[in-house]
Amino acid sequence: MVRWLDGETARAANFVTSEINRTPVVLPCGDKGNVTINAIGVKSKIKTEIHHEQPVIHTSLNVMGETVDTSCELDLSNPKLLKEFEKKMENKLKKQIKKTISIAQKEKADIFGFGDALSRTNPDYWRQHKKNWDNLFSDAQISMKVNVNVINSEMRMEPYEPN
């Protein structure tokens, strides 16, 4: 163990490895409020390739979410509004995951299993370079795609207006 990850960085590592069943993601809405979207299904894919003798890692993350709480007056039946929250959540997750990958690369610690993926797709390259994987990983180019789909929730679809 070279470093402890907690909070958002630990959660981001779990997103990359699909080791999350449910987790809330809080997003801003309006001036003072928030909406909470529960990530209820996470599926990640890792693909590797070699360019100019250097590993390139492509990660793809698909997240299914449902709105569970809001402190804003929102019409959650509006598909355009849900698309906005999907984009906000995608951007937030990308930022958290990039930060976590950067930390792991600085520590030369492949906590995501990228080396395992490389060994399966490029076994000859892996055999030649596995002893130097920590250094190769720290310099590896990593691309990331995040796709979020927010589905119906158990919430009221129209804002509650107190009398």
Side-chain angles (χ1 to χ4, degrees):
M1 187 161 127
V2 294
R3 181 178 178 164
W4 189 262
L5 295 176
D6 58 4
E8 290 182 348
T9 54
R11 181 172 72 171
N14 287 327
F15 267 108
V16 174
T17 58
S18 293
E19 294 177 5
I20 276 189
N21 291 330
R22 287 185 171 269
T23 188
V25 178
V26 179
L27 303 169
C29 63
D31 292 334
K32 301 180 208 171
N34 292 310
V35 65
T36 302
I37 298 175
N38 231 4
I40 57 172
V42 177
K43 180 68 178 156
S44 65
K45 293 180 184 175
I46 299 170
K47 293 184 180 180
T48 62
E49 58 186 358
I50 306 300
H51 281 286
H52 306 292
E53 286 299 307
Q54 295 297 316
V56 178
I57 301 161
H58 304 281
T59 62
S60 174
L61 183 67
N62 287 306
V63 179
M64 187 71 67
E66 63 182 0
T67 53
V68 292
D69 188 30
T70 184
S71 58
C72 300
E73 290 188 21
L74 300 171
D75 178 5
L76 295 174
S77 64
N78 182 346
K80 188 175 179 181
L81 184 64
L82 290 179
K83 287 288 179 206
E84 287 177 30
F85 284 119
E86 288 173 353
K87 288 294 174 203
K88 284 183 181 182
M89 188 167 166
E90 287 171 2
N91 291 333
K92 183 171 186 168
L93 292 177
K94 276 184 193 177
K95 184 178 175 182
Q96 290 174 356
I97 292 168
K98 283 182 181 181
K99 179 181 177 183
T100 303
I101 289 173
S102 176
I103 290 169
Q105 286 184 303
K106 285 177 188 169
E107 298 292 343
K108 297 183 179 187
D110 179 10
I111 59 175
F112 310 102
F114 294 153
D116 291 338
L118 182 65
S119 73
R120 288 189 300 274
T121 56
N122 297 285
D124 293 336
Y125 180 88
W126 178 252
R127 277 191 291 281
Q128 293 172 356
H129 297 91
K130 68 181 172 183
K131 290 181 181 175
N132 192 33
W133 175 242
D134 292 341
N135 291 322
L136 288 170
F137 167 68
S138 70
D139 294 328
Q141 178 185 342
I142 301 174
S143 69
M144 178 184 12
K145 291 182 184 177
V146 177
N147 181 47
V148 174
N149 288 308
V150 177
I151 58 173
N152 277 344
S153 69
E154 298 294 321
M155 294 177 51
R156 289 175 51 93
M157 296 310 261
E158 309 221 356
Y160 175 74
E161 295 179 22
N163 293 335

